[in-house]
């Protein structure tokens, strides 16, 4: 009798109870980041509270659909890895500019639709560039992703950017308590519970936060029970050349970021991303972005916040993240449930985020451990790439005197560091004429130079 082929951990389907718990954990990890883009853009455009609520529910709905496309996949759409999808922050500044001075929401959505189509068409081109992402580049990019996300967790831990009590000791104490719970559960709890350490930490933190007045459930009563996003709710899309050009620049940035995230998850799950799979993942980004433009939301990309959760919990099943996508669809259709999740205080998320985002950075270091650093320039590649990637994170206004297109590319530490790592790896390890050069990350001394 033939023995059935073993199932890769990525394709395993956990029991329903585990799917629900692990999926909810992913939703809580990304919820604050998911709703931040519509809040920022809608706030800058001075939209009404009802319109803001509509943007958020539409965003959650398409977040869920985009995640399902990426994890489950169909035909040539979806990388079929545990990848959460969410609105990209790279598009915030251009969208605010378009929305306030260049045609409002219809012009935003017209440019988003065009950008989504461009991403889908360019996906095979990016897939063929995968040979320029050896461990030297992927490890550096994963490290930059983790370091770039840590300030996000820090802002949450302090109370949330813009909060009146930002930096109050009680906020940091709550975040530290959640961090301690997460670490304690990972160290001492049984295996199943240790895999939902983040969920347990958030639940315990929320239970402690309620009596101390950290939470406000007022929005739950005001939220509707049912909300359905209809196409072109804010009017037919307007296609303006200036808006489209700026959004196409954003598309290239998000494709670079998504490539880094997909490679990171491939490393963490043990299923390396091949050129075809990368193209399928980027094509799913393009489709999701087109859906965003049609259903009143924004461009979508792989969410780096959840990469760390995959590495920390070692739960590699894509069906877990697909379950998270299903939960997001429910939150988008049932605004009252979304309001309950939104009531989780920022310091609680910050304590959990410190562990998750630190895990991403540590995973990058683990990948770099495979790279040879003797008698070559690989250390220079890592050093300069990390420096360029962290610069806009540490000094957010460093490029404010530069043109908008330059800021769009370089203000994202992930895209800036990724581009730098690719260029330096080509310079030192791929260009001919250096007898001691080696292809990025190759430790063997006899590795030949590879021409680009």
């Amino acid at each position: 009798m033939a023995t059935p082929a073993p199932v890769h951990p990525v394709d395993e389907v956990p029991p329903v109870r585990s799917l629900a718990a692990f999926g909810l954990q992913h939703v809580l990890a990304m919820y604050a980041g998911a709703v931040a883009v519509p809040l920022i853009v809608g706030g800058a455009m001075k939209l009404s509270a009802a319109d803001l609520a509509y943007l958020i529910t539409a965003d959650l709905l398409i977040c869920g659909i985009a995640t399902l496309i990426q994890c489950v996949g169909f035909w040539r759409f979806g990388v079929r890895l545990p990848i959460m999808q969410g609105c990209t922050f790279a598009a915030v500044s251009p969208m605010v500019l378009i929305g306030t001075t260049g045609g409002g929401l219809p012009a935003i959505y017209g440019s988003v639709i065009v950008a989504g189509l461009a991403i889908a068409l360019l996906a095979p081109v990016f897939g063929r560039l995968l040979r320029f992402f050896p461990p030297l580049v992927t490890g550096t990019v994963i490290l930059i992703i983790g370091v770039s996300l840590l300030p996000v967790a820090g802002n949450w831990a302090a109370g949330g950017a813009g909060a009146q009590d930002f930096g109050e000791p009680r906020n940091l104490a709550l975040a530290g308590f959640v961090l301690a719970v997460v670490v304690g559960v990972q160290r001492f709890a049984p295996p199943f519970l240790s895999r939902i350490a983040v969920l347990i930490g958030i639940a315990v933190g929320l239970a402690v936060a309620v009596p101390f007045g950290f939470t406000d459930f007022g929005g739950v009563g005001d939220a509707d029970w049912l909300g359905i996003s209809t196409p072109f709710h804010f009017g037919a899309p307007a296609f303006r050349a200036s808006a489209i050009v700026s959004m196409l620049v954003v598309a290239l940035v998000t494709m670079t970021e998504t490539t880094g995230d997909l490679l990171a998850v491939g490393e963490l799950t043990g299923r390396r991303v091949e050129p075809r799979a990368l193209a399928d993942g980027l094509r799913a980004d393009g489709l999701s972005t087109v859906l965003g433009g049609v259903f009143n939301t924004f461009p979508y990309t792989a969410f780096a916040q959840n990469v760390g959760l995959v590495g920390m919990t070692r739960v590699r099943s894509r069906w877990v993240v697909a379950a998270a996508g299903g939960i997001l669809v429910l939150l988008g259709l049932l605004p009252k449930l979304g309001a309950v999740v939104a009531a989780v205080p920022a310091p609680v998320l910050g304590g959990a985020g410190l562990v998750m985002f630190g895990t991403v950075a540590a995973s990058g270091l683990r990948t770099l451990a495979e790279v040879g650093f003797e008698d070559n320039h690989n250390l220079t590649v890592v050093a300069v790439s990390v420096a360029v990637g962290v610069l806009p994170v540490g000094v957010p206004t460093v490029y404010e005197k530069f043109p908008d297109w330059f800021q769009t590319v370089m203000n994202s530490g992930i895209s800036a560091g990724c581009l730098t790592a690719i260029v330096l790896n080509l310079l030192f390890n791929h260009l001919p004429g250096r007898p001691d050069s080696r292809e990025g990350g190759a430790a063997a001394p006899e590795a030949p130079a590879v021409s680009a």
Side-chain angles (χ1 to χ4, degrees), residues 111-393:
S111 64
V112 167
I113 290 171
V114 173
L117 293 173
I119 291 172
L121 292 173
L122 290 173
V125 177
F126 263 70
R128 287 194 289 271
L129 297 177
L130 197 58
R131 62 195 178 102
F132 299 119
F133 286 85
L136 173 63
V137 173
T138 57
T140 302
V141 172
I142 296 168
L143 173 60
I144 293 170
I145 290 172
V147 174
S148 297
L149 288 172
L150 285 173
V152 176
N155 279 321
W156 289 345
Q164 292 183 347
D165 62 345
F166 185 87
E168 288 286 343
R170 73 182 203 132
N171 290 337
L172 295 170
L174 178 58
F177 171 72
V178 172
L179 174 61
V181 171
V182 173
V183 173
V185 170
Q186 275 209 302
R187 173 63 181 85
F188 299 107
F192 171 74
L193 292 180
S194 69
R195 292 183 175 184
I196 55 170
V198 170
L199 179 60
I200 293 173
I202 291 174
V204 173
L206 181 59
V208 171
V210 170
F212 285 96
F214 282 92
T215 54
D216 179 11
F217 290 100
V220 178
D222 297 334
D224 295 328
W225 279 106
L226 183 65
I228 299 176
S229 179
T230 55
F232 308 126
H233 174 80
F234 294 99
F239 299 95
R240 301 198 175 192
S242 59
I244 290 172
V245 169
S246 63
M247 204 56 65
L248 288 175
V249 174
V250 171
L252 293 175
V253 173
T254 57
M255 292 180 79
T256 304
E257 291 184 348
T258 295
T259 298
D261 292 333
L262 297 185
L263 293 174
V265 172
E267 293 281 343
L268 292 171
T269 58
R271 176 176 281 178
R272 291 186 179 259
V273 176
E274 302 297 333
R276 175 170 173 148
L278 175 59
D280 292 348
L282 292 172
R283 198 176 285 110
D285 263 15
L287 175 59
S288 302
T289 297
V290 171
L291 291 176
V294 172
F295 286 94
N296 320 294
T297 180
F298 307 115
Y300 284 87
T301 186
F303 240 39
Q305 282 91 325
N306 295 80
V307 174
L309 192 55
V310 173
M312 193 188 100
T313 62
R314 299 184 298 281
V315 177
R316 296 179 279 177
S317 172
R318 60 191 172 105
W319 298 104
V320 163
V321 180
I327 294 172
L328 285 172
V329 170
L330 284 177
L331 294 179
L333 296 174
L334 303 173
K336 201 171 283 290
L337 282 180
V340 172
V341 176
V344 177
V348 172
L349 297 175
L354 288 171
V355 185
M356 293 188 299
F357 305 159
T359 300
V360 179
S363 298
L365 293 176
R366 182 176 62 186
T367 301
L368 288 173
E370 305 171 10
V371 177
F373 288 98
E374 297 295 328
D375 302 322
N376 57 34
H377 298 283
N378 288 343
L379 193 62
T380 300
V381 175
V382 176
V384 176
S385 301
V386 171
V388 172
V390 173
L391 185 60
V393 177

Side-chain angles (χ1 to χ4, degrees), residues 71-90:
C71 294
V72 179
F74 68 93
W75 190 51
R76 296 297 304 278
F77 292 88
V79 72
R80 295 168 175 83
L81 286 172
I83 291 285
M84 291 290 291
Q85 297 284 104
C87 283
T88 173
F89 283 87

Side-chain angles (χ1 to χ4, degrees), residues 89-122:
F89 283 87
V92 168
S93 295
M95 289 192 301
V96 168
L97 187 63
I98 296 167
T100 55
T101 65
L105 287 172
I108 291 176
Y109 294 140
S111 64
V112 167
I113 290 171
V114 173
L117 293 173
I119 291 172
L121 292 173
L122 290 173

